[in-house]
Amino acid sequence: MKVLVIGSGAREHALCRSLSLDPDVTALYCAPGNAGIAEVAELHPVDALDGAAVSALALELGAELVVVGPEAPLVAGVADAVREAGIPVFGPSGEAAQLEGSKAFAKDVMAGAGVPTARSYVCTTPEEAEAALDAFGAPYVVKDDGLAAGKGVVVTGDLAEAAAHAAACDRVVIEEFLDGPEVSLFAVTDGTTVVPLQPAQDFKRALDGDEGPNTGGMGAYSPLPWADPKLVQEVLDTVLQPTVDELRRRGTPFSGLLYAGLAITGRGVRVIEFNARFGDPETQVVLARLKTPLAGLLLAAANGTLEDLPPLRWSDDAAVTVVIASHNYPGTPRTGDPITGLDEVAAEDAPHAYVLHAGTRRDGDAVVSAGGRVLSVTATGADLTEARERAYTAIGRIRLDGSQHRTDIASKAAAEA
């Protein structure tokens, strides 16, 4: 099978790494890719938001499966254009991707499906926002209705900060604060059958101890030793399957990756948000543990044959990912700084630890930073403690001037396991 992956981040590097290890994949392409992805896939330039350009590239390459990684191309309808060209594609239609593209749409779908979520108001004026903030009280949760690359949410005890964020958005969803640990659960679906993956937990705040501003994610781990063994089945029954059924009932079937961000509250599981694609950095740890070859799973979702697939196989190992971010992230990041030590990690730490590239590019013979989140260092081990040790040992070999990373990814879970 010839596979084309669309995107250029660590999520796409994780997908390409897994696909490159799949014996059924005879050719692997990525567009536009990055410096790390170039080591496992053939790169091609493309405007990832241009459905016609992506379809033309897929046809030119003879791709038999297209995997659309990021949310913006999905919301822009890129998967629709590829489907119209007659090529199987892993990723929802533009209409179904509104599940991530619009928080208000997602709330409406959840209401129709009877999915448990936070009580909320959709606000378009300062007066509506003020009333909603007053109704819920602190801590305030204010979400930009549209796509914001993981940075459109403010959770704060400061009323002025909450009101300012609401005022800066055209339309916001203001909702009650959900207490309890958060869990990310991905599911592959063909629009009818839903196959859940293993749960993961990510770390949104920039600094140790969950301090600092929200980011796109600074690290993740899987499995969750503290989670109820019945959690995945419960979420499948109460969240994932009802959502897929509701979207199909509405005439907007969802096929691809359905990502449920969950809070495990004192009142039970509640959905914080849905995403329409693999999450970053959780994908890095989930795929590190998946033993079933990836291409067949994604193709079955694209072709509507998931129910024929045997149960997924998983490694008992634990996986930890730690993100190395550039100077000043999540503000305006500094780019163009050289990255060294990558060869050392490959020589000393493989196969248990490896580096997935996010914001990187080649500058002559050097690899330099090209974004906010630069690298995802991923490691596996017999348990979270061993996986953490391997990840941080690898990080110690990497040098990027002014870079930052959290030192406490999975530390609490490892200590309690």
Side-chain angles (χ1 to χ4, degrees), residues 108-126:
D108 189 55
V109 170
M110 283 188 264
V115 167
T117 186
R119 292 178 299 122
S120 64
Y121 295 102
V122 179
C123 307
T124 55
T125 68

Side-chain angles (χ1 to χ4, degrees), residues 312-338:
L312 299 183
R313 294 181 295 113
W314 295 94
S315 165
D316 291 330
D317 281 356
V320 171
T321 284
V322 182
V323 171
I324 298 177
S326 56
H327 178 75
N328 200 42
Y329 178 79
T332 304
R334 193 173 81 198
T335 59
D337 288 312

Side-chain angles (χ1 to χ4, degrees), residues 22 70 94 111 155 167 238 278 280 314 388 408:
D22 187 333
V155 181
T238 64
F278 279 103
D280 182 347
W314 295 94
R388 285 189 83 247
D408 64 345

